[in-house]
Amino acid sequence: MMSWPFRIIGFLLWYAKEFLLANLAVTADVLRPRRRMKMRPAIVAVPAASRTDSEWTLISSLITLTPGTLTITISREHGILYVHGMFVESRAQLVADIQEMEDRLLNAMRREPGDLTRPTERPVVRPLDEAAPPFAPGAAQHPPTEAGERS
Amino acid sequence: MELIDIVQALGLLFIFLGIGTIIVSAIGLFKLPDLYLRASAVGTSAGLGVASIVLGALLMDFSGLNLLKAVIAIIAQLLTSAVGSMAIARAGYLNNALPAEITHIDELSLTRRSSDRS
Amino acid sequence: MISEWTLEVALFLLAIGMIIASVRGLLGPRTMDRAVAADLIFFATIGFVALIGLRTGIEALFDIILIATLLGFMAALSMARLGSGGRR
């Protein structure tokens, strides 16, 4: 195990590499003709091992700073990061990528590794307003009553 | 004299790289279908585009004090642009901006209100 | 001197990028699409300031860039606040 300042420098170098590769991937996909675009966007709930305020802030900022992944919101009581990814082949792949970045960040930030356990069960999620109409299965994903949305 | 010319040419190269990134993001605003993908495309110019323009300006007008200011400016840009695009994505989510049809997994859909769409 | 002519080309290219982003901002169906376009226009404006500063050779160029990058996210934050109707 390297000492603490060197671990931070190592993480920054690794992150710079990831940042440049993600920039290249997004730029190349925008320039590709519409038929052959490789993007497969998804919004995935990623279980997170962050505990303190600074860890939550840093991991969500670093995810957003990498082009192609975007933190939409976090749920601290459930320990979940909701991440929008641009190139997602499967749920497990995006979760593995985000958790690798988080592992490296926490290893660099903490003087001792601490606990890296993550919540395992899926949280029960509800609309923000309690007064919202009850959830109808099948109608929620893409309701046909979209007036303003176009591509 | 030769060294100065090389550094100036390198600065111009970085400036054109940054401008190219901004133009690609602008094209991405039209080619990508929904808010979250567009915010990802703008993220490339927020990080790499502005950073490389500032780096190019530094190489064309180099001094010790400018180096310090440019490094602080690049770090500030990286930190604050992430906060800005997270705020925009979160506002879109609170405003029920739905992801495009090609989004194949959407684990936030259960938290969306089905009315109150503006 | 190579730089005078090339800086004008760079300003022209940056203007093209700003025009494309402005069209998205004018069309953009919802408020948040306009906010994303305005964000991109602001980043292009930082580039404009840097290029014009290099062209005219003013002293305070990097102070202007530093303040622009430090305060730029306030615009994005307030547009996000506007678009979400005050909810956070």
Side-chain angles (χ1 to χ4, degrees), chain C residues 41-87:
Chain C
I41 293 173
F42 174 72
F43 298 137
T45 310
I46 296 180
F48 244 86
V49 169
L51 290 178
I52 292 173
L54 285 177
R55 182 85 171 71
T56 56
I58 51 171
E59 297 269 313
L61 170 61
F62 281 86
D63 300 273
I64 300 172
I65 292 177
L66 182 53
I67 291 175
T69 52
L70 277 173
L71 296 183
F73 79 118
M74 301 303 270
L77 277 187
S78 48
M79 278 185 292
R81 201 63 197 284
L82 179 73
S84 68
R87 286 191 298 259

Side-chain angles (χ1 to χ4, degrees), chain B residues 50-95:
Chain B
V50 174
S52 86
I53 287 181
V54 173
L55 190 61
L58 172 71
L59 289 179
M60 298 200 49
D61 183 13
F62 191 86
S63 75
L65 193 59
N66 283 355
L67 173 68
L68 182 67
K69 286 174 191 165
V71 168
I72 297 175
I74 289 174
I75 292 173
Q77 172 67 22
L78 292 182
L79 289 178
T80 57
S81 74
V83 174
S85 49
M86 255 192 291
I88 285 183
R90 187 170 163 76
Y93 154 69
L94 286 174
N95 211 359

Side-chain angles (χ1 to χ4, degrees), chain C residues 12-24:
Chain C
F12 181 72
L13 289 176
L14 203 49
I16 290 177
M18 278 173 98
I19 289 170
I20 300 174
S22 315
V23 173
R24 177 84 266 170

Side-chain angles (χ1 to χ4, degrees), chain A residues 75-80:
Chain A
S75 159
R76 282 191 63 157
E77 62 266 38
H78 295 123
I80 298 282

Side-chain angles (χ1 to χ4, degrees), chain A residues 4-151:
Chain A
W4 186 48
F6 290 103
R7 277 183 281 153
I8 291 182
I9 293 172
F11 172 76
L12 287 180
L13 289 178
W14 177 84
Y15 184 78
K17 186 202 82 182
E18 292 287 305
F19 177 73
L20 288 178
L21 287 180
N23 270 296
L24 278 181
V26 173
T27 305
D29 207 55
V30 169
L31 289 179
R32 221 167 263 144
R34 209 179 282 262
R35 248 348 110 56
R36 288 189 286 127
M37 277 172 130
K38 276 199 234 154
M39 60 179 185
R40 285 177 58 66
I43 300 176
V44 170
V46 181
S50 301
R51 294 288 179 274
T52 61
D53 281 346
S54 53
E55 287 167 5
W56 278 111
T57 312
L58 263 178
I59 187 64
S60 48
S61 300
L62 288 179
I63 289 170
T64 310
L65 192 55
T66 319
T69 53
L70 177 63
T71 316
I72 294 178
T73 182
I74 62 175
S75 159
R76 282 191 63 157
E77 62 266 38
H78 295 123
I80 298 282
L81 290 157
Y82 287 95
V83 179
H84 178 279
M86 196 166 163
F87 308 101
V88 184
E89 290 309 317
S90 65
R91 183 178 189 281
Q93 174 241 328
L94 182 66
V95 170
D97 285 355
I98 299 297
Q99 289 186 345
E100 186 197 357
M101 181 185 289
E102 194 184 33
D103 279 339
R104 287 175 184 267
L105 173 71
L106 295 183
N107 275 322
M109 267 185 75
R110 294 176 176 169
R111 284 170 183 272
E112 286 94 40
D115 75 331
L116 287 171
T117 53
R118 295 190 162 93
T120 47
E121 82 246 34
R122 292 275 200 93
V124 182
V125 286
R126 316 205 33 178
L128 282 174
D129 299 347
E130 286 301 304
F135 166 60
Q141 194 95 30
H142 292 293
T145 57
E146 274 173 47
E149 193 79 3
R150 20 159 289 188
S151 46

Side-chain angles (χ1 to χ4, degrees), chain B residues 6 10-11 17 26-27 37 45-47 50 55-57 66 80 85 91 100 105-106 110 116:
Chain B
I6 292 172
L10 205 61
L17 182 71
I27 296 171
L37 289 168
S45 65
V50 174
L55 190 61
N66 283 355
T80 57
S85 49
I105 309 168
D106 185 0
L110 294 184
D116 184 31

